[in-house]
Amino acid sequence: MFKKDPLQIISFQSYGTKSHFYARGRALEDESIDLESQKIWHLAINTWKRFETDEIKNVGIDIKLPNNKIFKTTTDDNGYFKVDEAIEDLDLLTNDEGWLPYELSYNDVNIKRTIQNENRFPGELLIPSEKAQFGVASDIDDTILHTGVVSLLKWRVIYNSIFKHAKNRSPLEGAAEFYHMLHRGQSGENANPIFYVSHSPWNLYRYLDLFLKQNDFPKGPILLRSLSNFLRKKPQDEKPQKQKEILNLLKTYPNLPFILIGDSGEHDPDIYMEIAEEFPDRILAIYLRSVKHKKKMLRVKGLVENYKTTMVLMVESSAQAIEHARKHGFIE
C-alpha cells in the first residue's frame, strides 16, 4: 500500500492595514517539490507536481497572530482559503518594514500527516509603513522576468516554465535596482510597498517567489490567480484578475497613490489606462517595457500618444525608467 504524502499549508504573502487582516493560502499534500535541483528531469517532474496538486478541501484552518489572537477559516473545494477580518492595532505587531508574521495550523487535532508531525506553518502579510510615499503594482512576465509572452504559440513560456530552474531565469537588466530605488523612495527610507501582480496561476507561487529572492528584488506580496480561473473563458464584461487585484489595492489604501509597471506585449496598457481613468488622481505614472513585437508595439504607441490622463512612459531599459522616476521625485 502506498504511503500518503504529508500535509502542508502554503501561505501566500498578502497585505492588509493596521485594522484589516487579509490572508490567503492553500492546503495541499506535500509533493516534495525540489526547489534546488536543476536537472532537466527533476524540473519536468516539479512542473507536473505544481499543476497536479492534491488539495485538502473543506478542512478547518487556524491562523494565530503574535498576540495569540486566532482566526478560523475553512478551505474551499480547491484547497484555497481566505481570511478577511477587521482587527485593531495590527501595525503594533509588524517589523520595521511592515511585515506581520502569523502561524497556520490544521484545527483538527486528529490530523497527524504533517511533516515530522509539526502542525505549524509560517505566514506573513504586509502593512505598508506610514512613511510610504506611494505603492508600486508591477507585472512579472516580460516586465521583470524574461518569459517570451509574445512568442509564437507561447512556446517560450512553456519551455521556460518546464525546463528552466527559477535560479536560471533571467531578470530584465537593472529591474531589481530600479525596484529597490522605488521601494526606498525619495527620502531613501520611505519603505514604499511593492506588489507583484501576474496572470500566472497560484501553482507557480513558490517558483516566482524563489525567482524574486534569488535575483534580489524587494520583498512584496505576490498576487496570482487560481488555475480554474486561468483556464475558464471569462464573460466579456468581466475584468481581468490583474485589474481586480490592483483595484483592490487602491480600495485598501485610499490615501496611497500608485505607480503601475508592465509591458507592451499583452493587456497591461489597456488595463492600466482604464484604472487611471477611474482613479486619475491616484496613478502617478505608468511604465511599459517595450517588447520585440512590431504589431503590438505600434498598437501601444498609438494608445500612449493620445493618452493624457497620467504619465505613460514606454521604456527600452531600466535606466530610462530610473531617469524619469528621479526627474519626477519618485526616487533619490
Side-chain angles (χ1 to χ4, degrees):
M1 190 170 179
F2 290 108
K3 183 180 179 181
K4 291 184 176 180
D5 291 325
L7 306 186
Q8 62 179 335
I9 304 174
I10 299 173
S11 172
F12 306 138
Q13 284 175 347
S14 189
Y15 57 91
T17 71
K18 61 184 179 181
S19 59
H20 180 198
F21 184 87
Y22 181 60
R24 289 189 284 191
R26 198 177 190 194
L28 298 167
E29 288 189 5
D30 188 342
E31 302 287 355
S32 301
I33 292 177
D34 186 352
L35 293 174
E36 296 300 321
S37 176
Q38 300 186 36
K39 295 178 181 178
I40 288 180
W41 176 243
H42 286 164
L43 294 173
I45 291 175
N46 287 346
T47 300
W48 167 256
K49 287 180 177 180
R50 285 189 182 98
F51 288 92
E52 197 286 309
T53 53
D54 292 314
E55 61 274 0
I56 312 303
K57 59 182 69 175
N58 307 317
V59 67
I61 288 176
D62 287 345
I63 297 180
K64 184 179 179 181
L65 302 187
N67 62 0
N68 293 322
K69 169 76 175 177
I70 294 178
F71 297 116
K72 293 184 179 294
T73 188
T74 303
T75 62
D76 63 17
D77 287 344
N78 294 308
Y80 292 102
F81 65 86
K82 181 165 66 175
V83 175
D84 194 342
E85 296 279 352
I87 180 171
E88 296 299 322
D89 298 325
L90 287 172
D91 55 324
L92 302 180
L93 306 175
T94 66
N95 65 14
D96 292 340
E97 285 280 307
W99 287 97
L100 167 64
Y102 55 87
E103 184 180 281
L104 302 118
S105 61
Y106 290 99
N107 61 25
D108 184 347
V109 294
N110 296 314
I111 289 180
K112 303 295 184 184
R113 266 174 58 205
T114 53
I115 297 176
Q116 297 178 343
N117 292 323
E118 276 286 326
N119 185 17
R120 300 167 64 190
F121 303 89
E124 57 186 349
L125 62 81
L126 177 65
I127 298 175
S129 166
E130 294 286 342
K131 297 183 294 184
Q133 175 188 1
F134 54 78
V136 176
S138 171
D139 181 39
I140 296 177
D141 301 334
D142 278 327
T143 300
I144 60 176
L145 167 65
H146 284 291
T147 58
V149 164
V150 297
S151 65
L152 183 62
L153 299 178
K154 309 286 193 256
W155 71 266
R156 285 194 189 127
V157 177
I158 297 168
Y159 175 86
N160 287 336
S161 298
I162 296 176
F163 296 113
K164 281 196 174 182
H165 192 280
K167 290 184 176 180
N168 293 334
R169 298 297 295 276
S170 301
L172 287 152
E173 186 177 357
E177 177 191 3
F178 178 42
Y179 283 49
H180 275 289
M181 294 173 85
L182 288 170
H183 177 61
R184 294 192 297 267
Q186 190 177 37
S187 73
E189 298 179 351
N190 287 111
N192 296 317
I194 310 289
F195 303 90
Y196 301 97
V197 188
S198 172
H199 277 144
S200 295
W202 287 111
N203 306 66
L204 292 177
Y205 175 82
R206 286 190 290 178
Y207 183 92
L208 294 173
D209 183 45
L210 179 60
F211 167 81
L212 293 170
K213 289 176 180 174
Q214 187 69 23
N215 291 285
D216 192 34
F217 279 88
K219 184 178 177 181
I222 302 172
L223 311 174
L224 309 177
R225 58 175 169 169
S226 69
L227 190 59
S228 58
N229 288 338
F230 182 79
L231 296 173
R232 75 179 175 88
K233 187 175 181 180
K234 294 191 302 291
Q236 198 167 2
D237 60 345
E238 184 178 337
K239 302 294 185 189
Q241 184 63 26
K242 183 188 295 186
Q243 189 165 349
K244 291 179 184 177
E245 291 287 359
I246 296 174
L247 290 173
N248 195 56
L249 289 171
L250 288 162
K251 177 184 174 184
T252 303
Y253 307 113
N255 298 317
L256 195 65
F258 271 78
I259 291 173
L260 307 180
I261 308 177
D263 67 84
S264 306
E266 291 293 299
H267 306 295
D268 289 349
D270 306 85
I271 291 172
Y272 291 176
M273 289 178 186
E274 187 173 322
I275 290 172
E277 287 295 320
E278 188 175 347
F279 296 91
D281 299 327
R282 301 281 307 282
I283 307 304
L284 299 176
I286 296 172
Y287 293 107
L288 298 171
R289 282 193 178 270
S290 301
V291 297
K292 294 179 180 178
H293 192 292
K294 187 175 181 180
K295 190 174 179 180
K296 290 180 183 291
M297 288 297 295
L298 285 173
R299 185 188 80 86
V300 175
K301 282 179 180 177
L303 289 174
V304 171
E305 285 172 2
N306 299 312
Y307 195 72
K308 307 299 180 186
T309 302
T310 193
M311 293 184 290
V312 181
L313 185 69
M314 295 180 67
V315 298
E316 299 284 344
S317 67
S318 295
Q320 290 178 332
I322 289 171
E323 181 182 358
H324 181 275
R326 184 170 284 131
K327 178 181 175 182
H328 289 87
F330 304 146
I331 61 177
E332 285 183 288

